[in-house]
Amino acid sequence: MPPRTVVIGVDSSTQSTKAAVTDTETGELLAVGRAPHVVTGEGGARETDPEVWWLALCDAVAAGLKESGLSPSSVVGIAVAGQQHGLVTLDRAGRPLRPALLWNDTRSAPQAAALVAELGGPEAWTARTGTVPVASMTATKWRWLRENDPSNAEATASVRLPHDFLTERLAGVAATDPGDASGTCWYSTATGAYDPDLLERLGLSVSMLPEVAATGGTRIGSLTESAAEALGLPAGIAVAAGTGDNMSAAVGLGLGGAGLLDHPVLSLGTSGTVFAASRTRPASTALSGFAGADGTYLPLACTLNCTLAVDKVASLLGLHRDDATPGGEAVLLPYLDGERTPDLPTSSGLRTGLRHDTTPQQLLGAAYEGAAFTVLRALDELLLACGLDPADPEVAGRPLRLIGGGAQGRTWVETVRRLSGRPLIVPGSGELVALGAAALAASAAGGGDPVAVAARWNEKSEDAELPAAERDTETWERIGSVLDRASEPLLGG
């Protein structure tokens, strides 16, 4: 019997790094190493020193390998999936000049508005990049840096995304993939390349950016001697281009050209996202028209306030996160960090509809409802972007795949089920971002199409399937009415 070989899929997220040691043949998750990150900043600022990510990656890989009990010689490949949009600026020696601006740093909202106006409006951006700039996008952060920290901007020799930075540390090669690159707003999903006109407008050059590999599973190099020493792995193993976290989750679910197409996914984490892999290039100003990691497209809507915002409300009320009941007449929009969808970067939380008999449990339930409503509202737009009619009974009956940390929470699951009126599938495969990265690593090590690899691995997954519940249209319409009628002073927009 041949010796077992494994790959390591790395999920470098906002709060932590996870390293999944995965059997290349079966997809069995043998161990997961973990290490925390530190996020700093007040108000709209959210920053992390990129070196923290590298140290966390080293610690997580070491922990995962130790837990697996396997020899380092069994590892044949590694890939990183990272939080999207973060701005990493490097000097000529490849060292970070300053802390990275993270995806949920909203200070660049004025720069986003200026960029939209300069190109002629939202439709012009959608036609070029697939995505309208908001404060989350990397291009707006670079513009902010040039205006607010010009000395570091001037000293910048290279610009990277978080996963690019880590991949370059692994292989010594400056590389990215179409998926994560499509979240910068200087990469064109229409041409499949960096947009020279946009780079000129931003004061960037192609030489400052990584090469774009064909897919996230493309082998872009081998683990260097120095990286191998830091990680305790063999030098020379395959390093994949890697991708962004949402693209990697899609791969982990088996969504893409070699798997499921046009099936919606709702991810409940620090952010809430709804996405699907499609062959149709999205053209909606209400969505992020990303590329997928495998050559498809990944139309996506993302909110800034999801599980952490609801947990904060629970803490303020002195309740356990699952000590919630439906909100009744109360409406709570938990936009504690500003909001990206809808585009309200300076917004704050909004609470209305209180009565003498409103309970703390109802207020917490209203926070769940507000967060779930915000991301579910984009679902119809997502389906339209995939070329589907949301009113078609077949389309409306497609199950919603529920992933992320919130998918393990009883109240989250029931709130989404009640407000969506759709059947739900909660995949049995855990750590989907890391699993997707492992499939990319397996592909780089010679395993074939990464989506096909993940789909094969998922054949043994024990998914939880929940039938559709009657949709709570009364709550849906009440929240929608509050959001639509709230004036800018109320939401801080």
Side-chain angles (χ1 to χ4, degrees):
M1 189 175 187
R4 168 177 267 178
T5 60
V6 298
V7 288
I8 297 178
V10 176
D11 171 9
S12 180
S13 69
T14 313
Q15 303 292 333
S16 67
T17 293
K18 302 171 187 176
V21 181
T22 308
D23 188 291
T24 55
E25 180 59 32
T26 67
E28 181 184 357
L29 193 61
L30 303 174
V32 181
R34 292 175 170 83
H37 297 168
V38 176
V39 178
T40 61
E42 298 178 352
R46 295 291 185 275
E47 299 183 343
T48 295
D49 181 355
E51 295 293 352
V52 168
W53 301 331
W54 173 246
L55 294 174
L57 189 156
C58 294
D59 290 344
V61 167
L65 201 58
K66 181 179 180 180
E67 181 185 336
S68 74
L70 295 172
S71 166
S73 62
S74 62
V75 181
V76 297
I78 188 169
V80 177
Q83 55 178 306
Q84 288 188 256
H85 312 308
L87 176 68
V88 181
T89 53
L90 306 177
D91 64 18
R92 295 190 181 279
R95 295 184 298 260
L97 285 162
R98 67 180 314 282
L101 277 66
L102 305 186
W103 63 275
N104 53 352
D105 188 311
T106 59
R107 288 175 291 178
S108 59
Q111 288 74 23
L115 284 170
V116 172
E118 286 173 19
L119 201 63
E123 291 78 11
W125 280 94
T126 299
R128 296 273 281 274
T129 70
T131 301
V132 180
V134 293
S136 301
M137 303 299 169
T138 323
T140 72
K141 299 178 189 306
W142 174 248
R143 173 69 69 86
W144 181 92
L145 192 73
R146 294 188 73 196
E147 294 177 3
N148 293 274
D149 189 1
S151 60
N152 274 323
E154 183 66 27
T156 298
S158 303
V159 170
R160 302 286 184 264
L161 297 169
H163 115 262
D164 304 342
F165 170 75
L166 295 170
T167 300
E168 190 169 5
R169 282 287 176 93
L170 294 173
V173 175
T176 192
D177 86 301
D180 213 7
S182 67
T184 60
C185 278
W186 58 62
Y187 174 92
S188 171
T189 55
T191 64
Y194 294 127
D195 187 308
D197 175 59
L198 294 179
L199 291 180
E200 184 176 357
R201 287 175 180 270
L202 292 164
L204 287 168
S205 65
V206 172
S207 64
M208 298 172 70
L209 304 176
E211 293 283 339
V212 183
T215 72
T218 300
R219 180 170 183 161
I220 53 91
S222 302
L223 193 66
T224 66
E225 293 283 354
S226 60
E229 182 178 355
L231 295 171
L233 296 178
I237 64 172
V239 178
T243 193
D245 51 5
N246 290 299
M247 295 79 192
S248 189
V251 172
L253 286 164
L255 272 60
L260 289 171
L261 289 168
D262 304 324
H263 280 244
V265 177
L266 176 60
S267 176
L268 300 168
T270 303
S271 61
T273 59
V274 59
F275 62 86
S278 181
R279 291 200 184 280
T280 303
R281 181 177 181 268
S284 168
T285 58
L287 299 172
S288 296
F290 296 142
D294 71 330
T296 57
Y297 296 100
L298 199 77
L300 178 148
C302 178
T303 68
L304 292 183
N305 300 276
C306 196
T307 57
L308 287 183
V310 172
D311 283 352
K312 178 63 175 179
V313 174
S315 175
L316 290 172
L317 293 170
L319 298 175
H320 183 273
R321 61 166 62 97
D322 278 326
D323 192 10
T325 60
E329 293 184 53
V331 172
L332 202 166
L333 299 175
Y335 299 167
L336 309 186
D337 287 319
E339 192 44 78
R340 169 173 166 178
T341 305
D343 184 20
L344 297 165
T346 62
S347 65
S348 56
L350 175 65
R351 182 183 61 190
T352 187
L354 298 189
R355 301 291 185 184
H356 279 292
D357 58 357
T358 301
T359 67
Q361 289 77 15
Q362 286 178 313
L363 279 180
L364 180 55
Y368 275 100
E369 291 167 352
F373 171 90
T374 303
V375 65
L376 280 170
R377 200 183 206 197
L379 183 56
D380 285 354
E381 192 71 31
L382 172 79
L383 295 170
L384 288 169
C386 293
L388 303 173
D389 179 4
D392 184 325
E394 189 277 328
V395 175
R398 290 186 185 182
L400 186 60
R401 283 168 169 77
L402 200 62
I403 67 171
Q408 308 306 312
R410 171 179 56 82
T411 306
W412 276 113
V413 172
E414 289 307 312
T415 302
V416 170
R417 187 166 172 246
R418 177 165 54 90
L419 291 183
S420 70
R422 286 176 170 270
L424 301 183
I425 293 177
V426 182
S429 300
E431 307 297 351
L432 283 164
V433 173
L435 182 67
L440 297 176
S443 177
D449 184 282
V451 172
V453 169
R456 173 169 55 81
W457 289 351
N458 288 337
E459 289 175 359
K460 298 181 180 179
S461 174
E462 296 182 2
D463 300 342
E465 299 185 16
L466 303 174
E470 182 179 357
R471 191 173 192 186
D472 185 350
T473 55
E474 182 180 349
T475 297
W476 181 271
E477 290 171 359
R478 181 170 58 252
I479 299 171
S481 175
V482 169
L483 180 57
D484 291 341
R485 292 186 293 111
S487 63
E488 286 193 356
L490 282 175
L491 282 172

